[in-house]
Amino acid sequence: MTFIDDLEQSIDIVDLVWRYTRLKKAGTSYKALCPFPGHSEKTPSFVVSPVKQIAYCFGCHKGWWPVKFIMDMESSEFREAVQILWNITGREIQGFTESKETIQIKKNLYSLYKDASTYYQNSLKENPEIKKYLMDRGLSEEDIINFWFGYADSGINLYNYLKQKWYEDDQIGQSQIFLDLRTKKDKFIGRVIFPIENLRWDTVAFAGRIIGKWEPKYLNSPASDIYDKSSILYGLYKARKVVTQKDQIIITEWYMDTIALHKFGFLQTVAVSGTALTEKHITIIKRLTHKIYLCFDNDKAWEQATKSSLELLKNNGLEVKIIEIQWAKDPDEYLENGWDFQERINAAVSPIEYLIKNTNYNLESIDEKRKFLTEIFETISSYSDNIEQDMYLQEIAKISKTPLKLIYEMYKQRGGVRKKEEAPIIPTSQFSLDDVIISYLYEDPSFTELIESQILFPEAKSRQLDESLRDTAKYFSSIDLETKEKLKALSFQNSQKYVSPEEKKDALLASLVQFNRVSYKKLSDKYKSELAAWDQDALKKYSELLQIAKKHNLK
């Protein structure tokens, strides 16, 4: 048994799934509406089996075991998912989980930030002039509640509130909310508070916006054991489901821009919290969508941030466009003026069009156009996708008013030879016949003898099928997580379709008949090609193959 098997057996998958969606008992299993973003349904097709420790959606045709469920639900990597399960179970895994001391510090911080957020929210209620300020900015009561707005009124009052919650001074100090515990001075004092959440809706940090024109405009919590701003996208917890449904994400620079866009129905919007877009942000985004719209403030800093983001985003298999804000300094102001933001989305430009529009070269000058093309070709050659390169070359020809043939020639001369487009990879079925057969073994290893007896052409067995039949326990302990997930899903699907052992056996036999038909076709083609070379051994094998096929009615 692997450490992952041990971890998963220590957790009840029903309890785990219940943390994310409401389950209803259905016989020996539980049912619910699919909790995963991108799948909206009215009739429950999501089934959780406590016996098999698996969840399966008959709408998505996907299965989840505890680690995979957390990875998909939390948009997390494998190691992060193991860590989350450890937090739930308390089972320590060497090399994957943190020390008990570190875990306890994190738990205390999560709890403290939640309590501090509650204090700030209550403080806002007690300061109507601050609430009026927010409403004058176009926010409604509902917006204030939905985004947990707060206000930092007094450091000493917050400190006393936390002490009443039984936090020790060292725990309060670890939160880094206070400039100095001796003076009890809150670093956010006099600021409107934006709680920042992770994907589990835990408050992990605060941003404070000054009221008035003093600097800095925003003040953020520093990095901590629970907050890494390079991996946090503000508003993603609320936006995640809509991002997958619409298959696009809008990225803004600041909190108010995201809140304003949510208010106007653009719920697929998040903010980078005043920092640059990072590799960690991109990793998270790619799990949800491949269509990104950048929408930063309309100033010089925005221009640089956009260019930096484009450099980071290229060659990541993402479709990137830039939303240009006209007649306003940022999305928030644009919306306040009553202009249609959907028009800006529809008019979003490609990275190359953006770079052309924002070039400092005078494209009416032949000399400057030549310099510009040399520079832009350098950018295009850095894209690894040949189709993307070709698309951008056509775009350059159109925008720069240069004949396409000339653009191709110039690009080729500088070494940017476009490679011949490779044939598209045609996706195969989600499950192979081998997968189906092995899934029965996963559920019941006693099927080994039946499978061996029914396979008519042993030489046609794949390495995976052969290994699973030779030593079932060893095979299942050595396969990778993706394969294990697939087999578990198939096994669970079989148990839902075929209730009695007889039904299950008949279904397996039907799969084996199909396996033999496919194997016969493959071997027949193989031996026929060898016969063309007058191979006597192939003739003998082909003759035996025909006899077996005729006997079992495979032809």
Side-chain angles (χ1 to χ4, degrees), residues 9 45 58 72 100 109 117 167 241 269-270 277 338 355-356 368 392 403 407 413 490 513 535-536 552 554:
Q9 287 184 15
S45 61
F58 287 88
D72 286 357
K100 291 180 180 178
L109 282 173
S117 181
Y167 293 104
K241 189 164 187 176
T269 309
V270 300
L277 198 65
L355 292 172
I356 293 173
E368 291 207 29
Y392 286 148
I407 291 291
Q413 285 173 5
L490 272 169
V513 169
D535 188 318
Q536 292 298 315
H552 293 276
L554 297 178

Side-chain angles (χ1 to χ4, degrees), residues 59 84 97 102 120 136 221 234 248 331 366 368 370 456 475:
I84 291 168
T97 52
T102 302
Y120 287 139
D136 287 344
S221 293
Y234 177 76
Q248 62 177 228
I366 295 176
E368 291 207 29
R370 187 182 294 110
L456 301 176
Y475 174 75

Side-chain angles (χ1 to χ4, degrees), residues 438-448 451 472 476 491 504 508:
I438 295 172
S439 71
Y440 285 94
L441 283 176
Y442 188 88
E443 185 176 355
D444 186 355
S446 68
F447 277 130
T448 301
I451 294 170
T472 305
F476 288 128
S491 174
K504 201 168 292 182
L508 172 57

